[in-house]
Amino acid sequence: MTHWFHRNPLKATAPVSFNFYGVAGSPSANKICNDLRTTRARLLEMFTDTTCNPEIMKNATDAYFSLLQGFIAPLDGTTQENKLRFMQNFKWTDTLQGNTPSAQQDAIFELISMAYNVAIWQTKFASRLEVHIPRLITPAEKGRDLEPRVIDTYIVQCQAEAQEVTIARAIELKHNATLIAALAFETANFYQKADGTLNTLEPECSSKWRKYLQLKQHFYMSYAYCYHGQTLLSSDKCGESIRSLQEAEKCYSRAETLCKEYRQTKGPGSTAKPSEQLFFTKLGGLIKNTLQKCERENGFIYFHKVPAEAPQLELKASYGLAEPISFEFPALSEQCTPEVYATFDLTKGAKDEKAKPKREEEVIKPMKEPDLKPQKDTGCIIS
């Protein structure tokens, strides 16, 4: 099976019972706890269900988050912290750190961690995750998913991959070379920015991811130089066109090398095989054929000198840039009323999980993600 995109693994989590015996002092309070348990389990099932679609995922997410916010939003008419926020301990793995979890007794940690998984599953929502992070009591450790370098990389990668779809569509619809070159150049810059964000992260957890980002950067720089070369040729700048296509050839060769290095690098996540995709291999043929055409025309018609330096790309796409879709948390569940909130008595029943003696380092079983096989490879379908 071949893939175009690199994907780090989904976050895994320990089961949560929400059993607040004694604390939940009314049938309505008990029902909220039971519904939290079942909606959480349902949402976790959706992450690995091959039949799940965005609408099903949204419904499952809304069902759980609308209840979970009853442990976060003030319900007693004051501005003080919700008294239920620190009742339950939550454990989540990190996408770059293997199966050893982070744990916080904090409903906001659960909200962010679950939303992170939703964002990985449906990456268009990733740019909206940061709004709750400053409220966490326990700061993120280096290399963990809530650390700014990791979050920022995911956000920029999401932008770059959304842009890839735009490029594939522009090529398929035979838009002008100037636009395609500009889109490819901006996409390459996204990947370069994402790679730069990870450059201070420990190599053992980031090297594989960085190789992927680097190969994509060089691949789209190759696209940019190739289509820029076509633009230069159409403007009768044959010598500059040849130099641009030579640079495209150089970037493409570097992308091929990085594909091999990426496959050989150990690290978290699936191993994509972009060099085996038609969308990748077609570019190599396009560069070769276009360069040969330019060299022939220069030998018969133009007789231009080929510059020693590659052209400086200062390309801006006038349209076609991918725009993020805003993510909004659902409204508070109708079950979470001030009256029901008042029936939770923290002086009874539930024990502080922080007081439990430390055990050996816990390991959480990773999520078994479905192996989705592509149905068709046209050279522009990149999912």
Side-chain angles (χ1 to χ4, degrees), residues 238-239 242 294-304 306:
C238 195
I242 291 172
C294 290
E295 289 173 336
R296 282 196 309 270
E297 294 197 9
N298 199 43
F300 284 107
I301 303 171
Y302 295 102
F303 307 104
H304 289 171
V306 177

Side-chain angles (χ1 to χ4, degrees), residues 74 197 247 316 336 352 366 368:
T197 306
E247 195 66 19
K316 286 285 183 183
C336 300
D352 188 345
K368 185 173 177 57

Side-chain angles (χ1 to χ4, degrees), residues 8-285:
N8 289 327
L10 285 166
K11 295 165 70 67
T13 181
V16 177
S17 65
F18 293 103
N19 288 331
F20 298 150
Y21 300 119
V23 173
S26 69
S28 295
N30 279 316
K31 186 176 187 309
I32 287 174
C33 294
N34 290 334
D35 288 350
L36 276 166
R37 182 173 60 254
T38 56
T39 55
R40 186 181 197 265
R42 168 69 175 163
L43 178 52
L44 291 173
E45 287 175 3
M46 291 301 97
F47 290 130
T48 57
D49 188 341
T50 57
T51 65
C52 182
N53 58 41
E55 183 180 358
I56 295 172
M57 177 60 73
K58 185 180 188 306
N59 290 338
T61 302
D62 287 355
Y64 180 54
F65 283 172
S66 66
L67 290 166
L68 186 63
Q69 288 187 90
F71 280 38
I72 297 171
L75 297 177
D76 57 1
T78 72
T79 58
Q80 295 181 350
E81 287 288 358
N82 189 310
K83 66 183 180 181
L84 304 176
R85 174 180 167 181
F86 304 107
M87 282 288 295
Q88 178 68 55
N89 195 36
F90 299 95
K91 298 174 184 177
W92 284 90
T93 63
D94 295 272
T95 57
L96 301 180
Q97 302 291 337
N99 299 330
T100 302
S102 301
Q104 291 194 36
Q105 193 154 320
D106 189 343
I108 287 182
F109 176 68
E110 166 73 358
L111 181 76
I112 295 169
S113 298
M114 190 68 83
Y116 212 109
N117 245 16
V118 174
I120 294 172
W121 188 90
Q122 191 162 294
T123 53
K124 68 181 75 172
F125 296 144
S127 63
R128 293 296 177 180
L129 291 182
E130 291 187 82
V131 74
H132 286 285
I133 291 174
R135 295 185 62 192
L136 285 173
I137 303 299
T138 305
E141 298 176 25
K142 290 183 178 180
R144 296 289 182 177
D145 282 342
L146 303 186
E147 208 236 317
R149 289 176 297 180
V150 178
I151 286 185
D152 289 346
T153 303
Y154 273 121
I155 291 172
V156 177
Q157 182 179 336
C158 290
Q159 291 175 294
E161 291 181 349
Q163 197 76 2
E164 288 194 57
V165 178
T166 304
I167 295 170
R169 184 67 173 160
I171 294 169
E172 188 176 25
L173 295 177
K174 295 180 170 53
H175 282 298
N176 68 70
T178 302
L179 175 63
I180 295 171
L183 290 171
F185 180 62
E186 296 203 30
T187 303
N189 287 338
F190 275 135
Y191 277 116
Q192 184 178 35
K193 181 181 177 182
D195 177 51
T197 306
L198 287 181
N199 66 2
T200 57
L201 206 62
E202 291 71 15
E204 58 269 20
C205 63
S206 65
S207 292
K208 188 178 185 68
W209 196 3
R210 290 195 65 194
K211 289 290 184 186
Y212 166 76
L213 298 171
Q214 291 164 12
L215 75 86
K216 282 296 188 74
Q217 177 204 342
H218 283 83
F219 176 72
Y220 281 103
M221 281 302 292
S222 180
Y223 249 117
Y225 277 115
C226 177
Y227 277 88
H228 185 57
Q230 294 182 23
T231 300
L232 291 169
L233 181 62
S234 67
S235 302
D236 293 328
K237 297 178 180 178
C238 195
E240 293 178 45
S241 174
I242 291 172
R243 187 62 188 87
S244 187
L245 285 153
Q246 288 172 343
E247 195 66 19
E249 206 168 42
K250 178 181 174 182
C251 291
Y252 186 79
S253 177
R254 179 59 181 149
E256 287 183 310
T257 300
L258 284 165
C259 283
K260 295 175 185 176
E261 293 177 4
Y262 164 73
R263 287 197 295 269
Q264 294 166 358
T265 302
K266 293 183 179 179
S270 61
T271 298
K273 297 179 181 178
S275 60
E276 297 180 12
Q277 295 285 346
L278 184 57
F279 190 66
F280 189 100
T281 57
K282 281 177 69 175
L283 176 59

